[in-house]
């Protein structure tokens, strides 16, 4: 399908992120708050449910510049892995 053909999927915690993770497409989920997410393993960017999903989080709530920078790092890592 279309999602499986993508080089990388970027989004917030939505069905699209779930679908991309389920089919193994490299994915970056952006978490705009500093609060922990049940999806990420503590101290890592790894998602509990899908190995292809990385969680980009911020240290300061709603710091969009930091969030975009962290997401970019994850995107570049995933593109370089191909």
């Amino acid at each position: 399908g279309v999602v499986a053909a993508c080089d990388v999927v970027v989004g917030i915690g939505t069905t699209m992120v779930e679908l991309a993770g389920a089919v193994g497409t490299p994915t970056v989920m952006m978490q705009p708050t500093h609060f922990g997410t049940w999806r990420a393993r503590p101290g890592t960017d790894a998602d509990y449910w899908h190995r292809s999903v990385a969680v980009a989080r911020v240290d300061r709530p709603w710091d969009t510049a930091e969030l975009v920078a962290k997401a970019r790092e994850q995107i570049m890592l995933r593109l370089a892995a191909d």
Side-chain angles (χ1 to χ4, degrees):
V2 172
V3 174
C6 292
D7 292 329
V8 67
V9 171
V10 180
I12 58 172
T14 62
T15 303
M16 184 55 66
V17 167
E18 291 290 334
L19 176 62
V23 299
T25 300
T27 304
V28 177
M29 183 180 87
M30 298 169 62
Q31 169 109 14
T33 64
H34 66 294
F35 301 112
T37 174
W38 61 270
R39 294 185 55 128
R41 295 182 186 136
T44 72
D45 299 331
D47 182 82
Y48 272 117
W49 306 111
H50 307 295
R51 290 181 183 199
S52 65
V53 176
V55 181
R57 295 177 286 210
V58 295
D59 297 321
R60 293 176 305 277
W62 303 103
D63 184 343
T64 55
E66 180 186 12
L67 182 60
V68 169
K70 287 186 175 184
R72 182 182 186 281
E73 288 175 20
Q74 290 295 333
I75 292 165
M76 298 310 289
L77 286 171
R78 274 146 185 71
L79 290 175
D82 283 342

